[in-house]
Amino acid sequence: MQSVMLKAKLHKACVTHAVLNYEGSCAIDGKLLDMSGIREFEQIQIYNVTNGERFTTYAIRGEDNSGIISINGAAAHKANVEDIIIICAYATYSEVELINFKPRLIYMNPDNTVSHASNAIPVQVA
């Protein structure tokens, strides 16, 4: 049996560019891609905390250490510069792989530097 699980998350990244006349995709600072394990051209889900939009695109590598998070192409209609977003990648894992599975969770500062990293989301209390 296989399960689709959260592989990686960039939590509360700030959109730096929204470029309608681009081929498409989402450019992400290359160092953030490396840290999160999100691969160039991998499908990603973007959840816009600012306006509630949710959409699918793919990741492309942005300039290392630039802090760039650029929503491009048609998706640029769903996000504005300074919107706060969550970028997630999912993958399929076997039961054996899930024994020691932990996602990579990267928490962002408002300037798209890394606040901290984790591999567990705190239990939500009532």
Side-chain angles (χ1 to χ4, degrees):
M1 183 173 164
Q2 298 208 337
S3 299
V4 177
M5 305 291 289
L6 177 66
K7 170 188 164 183
K9 175 173 83 163
L10 297 171
H11 188 76
K12 291 196 171 179
C14 182
V15 175
T16 61
H17 300 74
V19 184
L20 185 60
N21 294 314
Y22 193 81
E23 284 185 37
S25 66
C26 177
I28 301 170
D29 179 315
K31 292 296 183 179
L32 295 175
L33 286 180
D34 295 344
M35 180 179 276
S36 68
I38 297 172
R39 300 171 70 109
E40 190 169 19
F41 307 116
E42 183 172 2
Q43 179 176 299
I44 54 175
Q45 300 288 321
I46 298 180
Y47 311 124
N48 191 324
V49 176
T50 303
N51 68 19
E53 291 282 357
R54 297 168 73 94
F55 53 97
T56 303
T57 188
Y58 61 94
I60 61 172
R61 189 174 193 92
E63 182 181 358
D64 287 358
N65 299 312
S66 64
I68 190 170
I69 301 290
S70 184
I71 308 298
N72 300 323
H77 288 288
K78 298 184 175 286
N80 294 305
V81 172
E82 297 186 1
D83 281 1
I84 301 302
I85 62 172
I86 299 168
I87 301 170
C88 292
Y90 297 87
T92 303
Y93 298 92
S94 70
E95 291 300 315
V96 171
E97 292 171 305
L98 289 175
I99 292 170
N100 295 311
F101 171 79
K102 298 287 184 193
R104 292 187 189 175
L105 310 173
I106 311 300
Y107 294 85
M108 310 300 297
N109 292 313
D111 64 354
N112 287 341
T113 57
V114 174
S115 164
H116 64 284
S118 178
N119 63 9
I121 296 172
V123 173
Q124 184 172 347
V125 296

